[in-house]
mmCIF file with all atom_site columns, all heavy atoms in Angstrom:
data_model
loop_
_atom_site.group_PDB
_atom_site.id
_atom_site.type_symbol
_atom_site.label_atom_id
_atom_site.label_alt_id
_atom_site.label_comp_id
_atom_site.label_asym_id
_atom_site.label_entity_id
_atom_site.label_seq_id
_atom_site.pdbx_PDB_ins_code
_atom_site.Cartn_x
_atom_site.Cartn_y
_atom_site.Cartn_z
_atom_site.occupancy
_atom_site.B_iso_or_equiv
_atom_site.pdbx_formal_charge
_atom_site.auth_seq_id
_atom_site.auth_comp_id
_atom_site.auth_asym_id
_atom_site.auth_atom_id
_atom_site.pdbx_PDB_model_num
ATOM 1  N N   . SER B 1 55 ? -17.267 8.270  2.017  1.00 0.00 ? 270 SER B N   1
ATOM 2  C CA  . SER B 1 55 ? -16.474 8.061  0.823  1.00 0.00 ? 270 SER B CA  1
ATOM 3  C C   . SER B 1 55 ? -15.309 7.109  1.048  1.00 0.00 ? 270 SER B C   1
ATOM 4  O O   . SER B 1 55 ? -14.859 6.456  0.110  1.00 0.00 ? 270 SER B O   1
ATOM 5  C CB  . SER B 1 55 ? -15.945 9.392  0.293  1.00 0.00 ? 270 SER B CB  1
ATOM 6  O OG  . SER B 1 55 ? -15.349 10.129 1.325  1.00 0.00 ? 270 SER B OG  1
ATOM 7  N N   . ASP B 1 56 ? -14.810 7.044  2.265  1.00 0.00 ? 271 ASP B N   1
ATOM 8  C CA  . ASP B 1 56 ? -13.704 6.144  2.541  1.00 0.00 ? 271 ASP B CA  1
ATOM 9  C C   . ASP B 1 56 ? -13.674 5.861  4.040  1.00 0.00 ? 271 ASP B C   1
ATOM 10 O O   . ASP B 1 56 ? -14.144 6.677  4.838  1.00 0.00 ? 271 ASP B O   1
ATOM 11 C CB  . ASP B 1 56 ? -12.378 6.763  2.086  1.00 0.00 ? 271 ASP B CB  1
ATOM 12 C CG  . ASP B 1 56 ? -11.252 5.760  2.035  1.00 0.00 ? 271 ASP B CG  1
ATOM 13 O OD1 . ASP B 1 56 ? -11.537 4.540  2.033  1.00 0.00 ? 271 ASP B OD1 1
ATOM 14 O OD2 . ASP B 1 56 ? -10.083 6.182  2.011  1.00 0.00 ? 271 ASP B OD2 1
ATOM 15 N N   . LYS B 1 57 ? -13.135 4.725  4.387  1.00 0.00 ? 272 LYS B N   1
ATOM 16 C CA  . LYS B 1 57 ? -13.092 4.319  5.790  1.00 0.00 ? 272 LYS B CA  1
ATOM 17 C C   . LYS B 1 57 ? -11.705 3.818  6.097  1.00 0.00 ? 272 LYS B C   1
ATOM 18 O O   . LYS B 1 57 ? -11.137 3.026  5.338  1.00 0.00 ? 272 LYS B O   1
ATOM 19 C CB  . LYS B 1 57 ? -14.127 3.228  6.037  1.00 0.00 ? 272 LYS B CB  1
ATOM 20 C CG  . LYS B 1 57 ? -14.447 2.954  7.482  1.00 0.00 ? 272 LYS B CG  1
ATOM 21 C CD  . LYS B 1 57 ? -15.640 2.006  7.572  1.00 0.00 ? 272 LYS B CD  1
ATOM 22 C CE  . LYS B 1 57 ? -16.009 1.727  9.005  1.00 0.00 ? 272 LYS B CE  1
ATOM 23 N NZ  . LYS B 1 57 ? -17.169 0.826  9.112  1.00 0.00 ? 272 LYS B NZ  1
ATOM 24 N N   . GLY B 1 58 ? -11.178 4.288  7.217  1.00 0.00 ? 273 GLY B N   1
ATOM 25 C CA  . GLY B 1 58 ? -9.846  3.861  7.628  1.00 0.00 ? 273 GLY B CA  1
ATOM 26 C C   . GLY B 1 58 ? -9.927  3.031  8.874  1.00 0.00 ? 273 GLY B C   1
ATOM 27 O O   . GLY B 1 58 ? -10.745 2.131  8.997  1.00 0.00 ? 273 GLY B O   1
ATOM 28 N N   . SER B 1 59 ? -9.094  3.370  9.853  1.00 0.00 ? 274 SER B N   1
ATOM 29 C CA  . SER B 1 59 ? -8.996  2.561  11.069 1.00 0.00 ? 274 SER B CA  1
ATOM 30 C C   . SER B 1 59 ? -9.976  3.031  12.138 1.00 0.00 ? 274 SER B C   1
ATOM 31 O O   . SER B 1 59 ? -9.617  3.206  13.295 1.00 0.00 ? 274 SER B O   1
ATOM 32 C CB  . SER B 1 59 ? -7.564  2.616  11.594 1.00 0.00 ? 274 SER B CB  1
ATOM 33 O OG  . SER B 1 59 ? -7.142  3.961  11.739 1.00 0.00 ? 274 SER B OG  1
ATOM 34 N N   . ILE B 1 60 ? -11.206 3.212  11.760 1.00 0.00 ? 275 ILE B N   1
ATOM 35 C CA  . ILE B 1 60 ? -12.205 3.690  12.721 1.00 0.00 ? 275 ILE B CA  1
ATOM 36 C C   . ILE B 1 60 ? -12.801 2.499  13.466 1.00 0.00 ? 275 ILE B C   1
ATOM 37 O O   . ILE B 1 60 ? -13.265 1.534  12.855 1.00 0.00 ? 275 ILE B O   1
ATOM 38 C CB  . ILE B 1 60 ? -13.303 4.518  12.018 1.00 0.00 ? 275 ILE B CB  1
ATOM 39 C CG1 . ILE B 1 60 ? -14.290 5.110  13.026 1.00 0.00 ? 275 ILE B CG1 1
ATOM 40 C CG2 . ILE B 1 60 ? -14.009 3.715  10.930 1.00 0.00 ? 275 ILE B CG2 1
ATOM 41 C CD1 . ILE B 1 60 ? -15.231 6.148  12.445 1.00 0.00 ? 275 ILE B CD1 1
ATOM 42 N N   . PRO B 1 61 ? -12.778 2.533  14.801 1.00 0.00 ? 276 PRO B N   1
ATOM 43 C CA  . PRO B 1 61 ? -13.358 1.421  15.566 1.00 0.00 ? 276 PRO B CA  1
ATOM 44 C C   . PRO B 1 61 ? -14.875 1.339  15.342 1.00 0.00 ? 276 PRO B C   1
ATOM 45 O O   . PRO B 1 61 ? -15.526 2.330  15.034 1.00 0.00 ? 276 PRO B O   1
ATOM 46 C CB  . PRO B 1 61 ? -13.048 1.799  17.027 1.00 0.00 ? 276 PRO B CB  1
ATOM 47 C CG  . PRO B 1 61 ? -11.998 2.850  16.965 1.00 0.00 ? 276 PRO B CG  1
ATOM 48 C CD  . PRO B 1 61 ? -12.193 3.564  15.680 1.00 0.00 ? 276 PRO B CD  1
ATOM 49 N N   . ASP B 1 62 ? -15.413 0.155  15.550 1.00 0.00 ? 277 ASP B N   1
ATOM 50 C CA  . ASP B 1 62 ? -16.853 -0.028 15.400 1.00 0.00 ? 277 ASP B CA  1
ATOM 51 C C   . ASP B 1 62 ? -17.639 0.788  16.417 1.00 0.00 ? 277 ASP B C   1
ATOM 52 O O   . ASP B 1 62 ? -18.824 1.081  16.210 1.00 0.00 ? 277 ASP B O   1
ATOM 53 C CB  . ASP B 1 62 ? -17.212 -1.513 15.545 1.00 0.00 ? 277 ASP B CB  1
ATOM 54 C CG  . ASP B 1 62 ? -16.693 -2.336 14.395 1.00 0.00 ? 277 ASP B CG  1
ATOM 55 O OD1 . ASP B 1 62 ? -16.405 -1.748 13.327 1.00 0.00 ? 277 ASP B OD1 1
ATOM 56 O OD2 . ASP B 1 62 ? -16.548 -3.560 14.552 1.00 0.00 ? 277 ASP B OD2 1
ATOM 57 N N   . ARG B 1 63 ? -16.993 1.154  17.520 1.00 0.00 ? 278 ARG B N   1
ATOM 58 C CA  . ARG B 1 63 ? -17.665 1.961  18.557 1.00 0.00 ? 278 ARG B CA  1
ATOM 59 C C   . ARG B 1 63 ? -17.866 3.403  18.105 1.00 0.00 ? 278 ARG B C   1
ATOM 60 O O   . ARG B 1 63 ? -18.582 4.162  18.756 1.00 0.00 ? 278 ARG B O   1
ATOM 61 C CB  . ARG B 1 63 ? -16.806 1.967  19.826 1.00 0.00 ? 278 ARG B CB  1
ATOM 62 C CG  . ARG B 1 63 ? -16.583 0.597  20.449 1.00 0.00 ? 278 ARG B CG  1
ATOM 63 C CD  . ARG B 1 63 ? -15.676 0.678  21.666 1.00 0.00 ? 278 ARG B CD  1
ATOM 64 N NE  . ARG B 1 63 ? -14.289 0.962  21.305 1.00 0.00 ? 278 ARG B NE  1
ATOM 65 C CZ  . ARG B 1 63 ? -13.680 2.120  21.529 1.00 0.00 ? 278 ARG B CZ  1
ATOM 66 N NH1 . ARG B 1 63 ? -14.331 3.122  22.091 1.00 0.00 ? 278 ARG B NH1 1
ATOM 67 N NH2 . ARG B 1 63 ? -12.411 2.289  21.188 1.00 0.00 ? 278 ARG B NH2 1
ATOM 68 N N   . PHE B 1 64 ? -17.197 3.769  17.038 1.00 0.00 ? 279 PHE B N   1
ATOM 69 C CA  . PHE B 1 64 ? -17.300 5.138  16.531 1.00 0.00 ? 279 PHE B CA  1
ATOM 70 C C   . PHE B 1 64 ? -18.200 5.146  15.298 1.00 0.00 ? 279 PHE B C   1
ATOM 71 O O   . PHE B 1 64 ? -18.205 4.209  14.496 1.00 0.00 ? 279 PHE B O   1
ATOM 72 C CB  . PHE B 1 64 ? -15.931 5.688  16.122 1.00 0.00 ? 279 PHE B CB  1
ATOM 73 C CG  . PHE B 1 64 ? -14.945 5.859  17.240 1.00 0.00 ? 279 PHE B CG  1
ATOM 74 C CD1 . PHE B 1 64 ? -15.216 5.462  18.530 1.00 0.00 ? 279 PHE B CD1 1
ATOM 75 C CD2 . PHE B 1 64 ? -13.720 6.462  16.975 1.00 0.00 ? 279 PHE B CD2 1
ATOM 76 C CE1 . PHE B 1 64 ? -14.292 5.634  19.545 1.00 0.00 ? 279 PHE B CE1 1
ATOM 77 C CE2 . PHE B 1 64 ? -12.784 6.634  17.973 1.00 0.00 ? 279 PHE B CE2 1
ATOM 78 C CZ  . PHE B 1 64 ? -13.070 6.215  19.267 1.00 0.00 ? 279 PHE B CZ  1
#
Side-chain angles (χ1 to χ4, degrees):
Chain B
S270 49
D271 194 17
K272 195 171 181 179
S274 53
I275 184 169
D277 292 340
R278 298 178 289 108
F279 295 4

